[in-house]
């Protein structure tokens, strides 16, 4: 009987671990309501989604300083912000990396990088790495498009910016632009998820 109870407790422990780990790793799915956050911007001010009273939604992008994929997309991210910010979908960039694991992604170097590249959007530091696991981000860059509704900020797209990070001329599908354009037209996003291509997040 004692052995049975030990075995049963072991199975329960495995189940709880698997369940909580799955929830932690999986993050948001399409249709989920994204919880708001309060993160420090490169101007040392705290930024939350609720600050954007007139926004129709958000292009949340997990990105960083050091990753070659993230660097390759910097100009595209600036272009996305310039194109969609005034239409109600601003870019909100978040650095999810632990600077003790990757020194190039420190807060001070975020400020330098943003100034060098002319970032037109908030570049937030996920201090303590609490936000990216909620979203389920695994790469830099990793995009989450949110639509503001009466129920909250609903996840409408998860994945890559487009289908070619190397050369703008060879891009055939602009996933983020296509998704935002459809949302602005009041239509459903057709391609809801794609595989994010980039560097693994440094936890």
């Amino acid at each position: 009987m004692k052995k049975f109870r030990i075995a049963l407790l072991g199975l329960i422990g495995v189940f709880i671990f698997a369940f909580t780990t799955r929830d932690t790793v999986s993050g948001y799915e399409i249709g989920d309501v994204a919880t708001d956050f309060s993160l420090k911007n490169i101007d040392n001010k705290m930024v939350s989604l609720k600050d954007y009273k007139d926004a129709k939604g958000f292009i949340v992008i997990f990105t960083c300083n050091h990753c070659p994929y993230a660097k390759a997309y910097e100009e595209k991210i600036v272009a996305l912000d310039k194109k969609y910010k005034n239409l109600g979908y601003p870019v909100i960039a978040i650095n999810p990396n632990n600077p003790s694991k990757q020194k190039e992604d420190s807060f001070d170097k975020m400020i330098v990088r943003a100034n060098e590249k002319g970032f037109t959007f908030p570049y937030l530091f996920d201090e303590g790495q609490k936000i990216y696991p909620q979203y389920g981000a695994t790469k830099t860059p990793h995009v989450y498009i949110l639509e503001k509704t009466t129920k909250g900020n609903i996840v409408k797209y998860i994945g890559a910016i487009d289908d070619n990070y190397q050369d703008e001329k060879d891009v055939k599908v602009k996933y983020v632009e296509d998704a935002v354009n459809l949302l602005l037209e009041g239509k459903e996003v057709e391609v809801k998820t794609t595989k994010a291509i980039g560097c693994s997040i440094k936890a």
Side-chain angles (χ1 to χ4, degrees):
M1 188 67 179
K2 186 177 179 181
K3 289 182 178 180
F4 174 78
R5 278 192 302 220
I6 292 172
L8 182 61
L9 287 172
L11 285 172
I12 291 171
V14 169
F15 174 79
I16 291 171
F17 176 80
F19 183 80
T20 54
T21 303
R22 182 194 64 189
D23 283 354
T24 300
V25 172
S26 63
Y28 294 135
E29 296 180 356
I30 299 300
D32 286 348
V33 177
T35 304
D36 202 352
F37 47 73
S38 181
L39 297 174
K40 186 167 67 172
N41 190 18
I42 49 173
D43 61 3
N44 282 303
K45 295 179 180 178
M46 303 304 288
V47 172
S48 299
L49 300 180
K50 65 182 179 183
D51 299 333
Y52 293 78
K53 305 297 184 186
D54 298 327
K56 298 175 182 177
F58 304 93
I59 304 170
V60 177
I61 304 179
F62 291 90
T63 187
C64 67
N65 295 344
H66 86 278
C67 173
Y69 295 91
K71 289 179 178 179
Y73 271 115
E74 285 172 331
E75 290 184 8
K76 293 182 181 182
I77 294 172
V78 171
L80 283 171
D81 186 57
K82 288 181 176 179
K83 181 173 182 177
Y84 291 109
K85 179 164 51 183
N86 292 333
L87 296 175
Y89 276 85
V91 165
I92 308 292
I94 301 174
N95 171 17
N97 284 340
N98 183 346
S100 68
K101 298 290 181 69
Q102 177 50 253
K103 294 180 180 179
E104 287 301 311
D105 291 326
S106 70
F107 183 73
D108 288 342
K109 291 191 175 182
M110 285 171 60
I111 297 171
V112 173
R113 188 71 185 175
N115 288 332
E116 286 178 349
K117 304 305 293 187
F119 286 1
T120 57
F121 44 81
Y123 189 22
L124 311 180
F125 182 48
D126 187 4
E127 190 168 5
Q129 299 185 291
K130 297 175 182 177
I131 302 305
Y132 90 81
Q134 292 181 18
Y135 277 73
T138 59
K139 304 289 184 181
T140 51
H142 206 151
V143 183
Y144 293 76
I145 296 178
L146 313 179
E147 181 182 30
K148 187 190 287 188
T149 74
T150 55
K151 296 179 181 178
N153 295 308
I154 308 295
V155 180
K156 291 291 183 175
Y157 170 81
I158 302 172
I161 292 173
D162 56 37
D163 65 349
N164 195 312
Y165 77 94
Q166 294 175 307
D167 194 335
E168 177 69 24
K169 297 190 296 295
D170 291 332
V171 171
K172 294 181 175 62
V173 186
K174 297 182 177 181
Y175 302 121
V176 169
E177 289 194 39
D178 290 348
V180 176
N181 288 337
L182 286 169
L183 290 171
L184 288 170
E185 294 172 8
K187 298 177 180 178
E188 191 66 27
V189 174
E190 293 175 358
V191 179
K192 294 178 173 61
T193 60
T194 58
K195 183 179 180 181
I197 304 297
C199 302
S200 61
I201 290 175
K202 306 301 182 286

